[in-house]
Amino acid sequence: MLPPHSFNLTTSDPSTFILTGIPGLEAAHIWISIPFSMVYVIGLFGNFMLLFVIGKEQTLHKPMYLLLCMLALTDIGTSTSVVPKALCIFWFNLKGITVGGCLTQMFFLHAVSIMQSAVLVTMAFDRYVAICNPLTYATILTNARIAKLGVVGLIRAVLCILPLPLLLSRQPFCANHIIPHTYCEHIALAKMSCGDSTVNRTYGLVMAFVVLGFDLSLVSLSYGLIIRAVLRISSKTAHQKALNTCTAHICVMLMSFTLFFFSTLTHRFGQRITPHVHIILANLFFLIPPMLNPIIYGVKTKELRDKVLKYILLKYICRM
């Protein structure tokens, strides 16, 4: 068996980047990989279980659950874009990645994140219509319309992110191709450019704060209107029921947007924060939500929880 150092690639190859993993914590890579892999597997299991149950149950073929499927797919996409390569670094010291592979990873990672943001906006709109206009819900939000909104969100994500790898592919990179990270992130690649990367940095910042800031504003507006409508409900039972339908969505959105903006701001402007803290925070953004989202919805959505428990019990009974 080859020793671990034999997997290392030199930085002399201009078509190859070197991902270092977590700088300063190389000796602990094996230990760090344990929670990484556990959280990743739990997230995959939860999201695939959610997709399986919703796909099997005809009673769950509704707009809200179609949106949950979209969220599960984006969760799988974001975590899978990051974790397998990180584990290859942690376990086998496979640090090399081609320039094309790096740009491809960056594109999918950011595109899926933008797509996820669009899904969260649509979910907020879904809850707004369900609570503020319940009588017209079935006509406004149909499965076909939700599918069309999903396609629009996908097109928007591709059009917004595609310029990033295209602009970077035209940049000359310095001789030192070492990226102090576990994955290819846009700002990390822009910093390695020997040319003028002002356009890349500006465009990346605009995408992060204009597109996602716009999405967050729409989410805030939707829930502001929901809260106003709920406060006007005189019945305490109806009041509580309306709030319960939003709790899971609010938890997921707060977690997703907070982690994203905190990670982005510390990576760009937190020069006093040590690099390994930056990188761990960035990885947590792609690890924690995919693990917690199916748990939150499984616990807070009674109809979905009952169906999941039914399948788990059936599987247990069949094994007896």
Side-chain angles (χ1 to χ4, degrees):
M1 186 175 179
L2 293 173
H5 67 267
S6 65
F7 289 107
N8 283 335
L9 296 171
T10 63
T11 58
S12 60
D13 185 354
S15 65
T16 303
F17 287 128
I18 304 297
L19 292 166
T20 61
I22 304 179
L25 298 177
E26 288 86 355
H29 273 177
I30 291 294
W31 297 107
I32 294 170
S33 72
I34 296 172
F36 265 53
S37 55
M38 288 178 64
V39 171
Y40 177 58
V41 169
I42 292 169
L44 284 182
F45 175 79
N47 284 294
F48 276 118
M49 171 65 79
L50 189 147
L51 289 170
F52 172 78
V53 172
I54 293 175
K56 280 283 188 181
E57 290 290 331
Q58 289 292 327
T59 56
L60 298 181
H61 292 180
K62 302 173 184 177
M64 186 180 84
Y65 296 106
L66 183 57
L67 286 169
L68 285 183
C69 287
M70 291 182 186
L71 183 65
L73 289 171
T74 59
D75 281 338
I76 292 167
T78 52
S79 59
T80 302
S81 296
V82 171
V83 179
K85 180 59 183 176
L87 292 179
C88 284
I89 297 169
F90 296 157
W91 289 342
F92 310 113
N93 215 27
L94 291 171
K95 298 181 178 181
I97 184 169
T98 63
V99 173
C102 201
L103 293 174
T104 301
Q105 184 190 42
M106 184 196 75
F107 169 75
F108 278 106
L109 187 60
H110 293 307
V112 175
S113 297
I114 295 288
M115 177 64 189
Q116 186 176 65
S117 179
V119 172
L120 292 175
V121 171
T122 310
M123 292 175 80
F125 179 66
D126 170 80
R127 290 299 86 199
Y128 162 73
V129 176
I131 292 172
C132 299
N133 298 284
L135 297 178
T136 58
Y137 178 84
T139 55
I140 294 175
L141 287 174
T142 61
N143 286 349
R145 192 159 290 167
I146 291 294
K148 288 176 184 177
L149 288 172
V151 172
V152 170
L154 179 61
I155 293 171
R156 184 191 75 151
V158 171
L159 293 179
C160 286
I161 299 302
L162 190 58
L164 292 179
L166 292 179
L167 288 169
L168 280 173
S169 66
R170 301 170 63 88
Q171 288 286 333
F173 292 103
C174 300
N176 185 2
H177 281 197
I178 296 175
I179 302 175
H181 216 304
T182 56
Y183 60 88
C184 295
E185 200 270 340
H186 172 251
I187 193 63
L189 283 174
K191 286 178 180 178
M192 293 178 60
S193 172
C194 295
D196 185 5
S197 62
T198 304
V199 175
N200 293 80
R201 291 168 180 262
T202 304
Y203 186 81
L205 199 62
V206 167
M207 284 301 99
F209 288 94
V210 173
V211 174
L212 295 178
F214 176 72
D215 288 352
L216 184 58
S217 298
L218 290 178
V219 169
S220 301
L221 176 63
S222 295
Y223 279 102
L225 294 172
I226 288 170
I227 290 170
R228 187 182 70 173
V230 168
L231 291 176
R232 290 176 176 176
I233 299 173
S234 57
S235 168
K236 288 187 177 180
T237 305
H239 190 281
Q240 189 65 35
K241 185 179 179 181
L243 285 176
N244 283 339
T245 62
C246 297
T247 305
H249 299 273
I250 292 171
C251 290
V252 167
M253 288 174 195
L254 284 175
M255 177 178 59
S256 297
F257 283 112
T258 302
L259 280 172
F260 171 79
F261 282 111
F262 188 67
S263 174
T264 302
L265 288 170
T266 54
H267 191 73
R268 290 176 182 269
F269 307 112
Q271 286 82 8
R272 294 184 181 181
I273 300 176
T274 55
H276 66 265
V277 174
H278 281 302
I279 294 166
I280 290 172
L281 284 174
N283 279 278
L284 287 178
F285 168 67
F286 296 113
L287 279 168
I288 300 300
M291 180 188 72
L292 292 182
N293 286 350
I295 296 173
I296 291 170
Y297 283 110
V299 170
K300 297 300 295 182
T301 311
K302 185 180 184 301
E303 191 176 8
L304 179 61
R305 182 176 69 243
D306 292 343
K307 300 298 182 183
V308 170
L309 288 174
K310 184 186 83 170
Y311 277 99
I312 291 173
L313 289 173
L314 281 174
K315 190 174 181 179
Y316 176 75
I317 292 169
C318 290
R319 285 186 174 184
M320 291 180 65

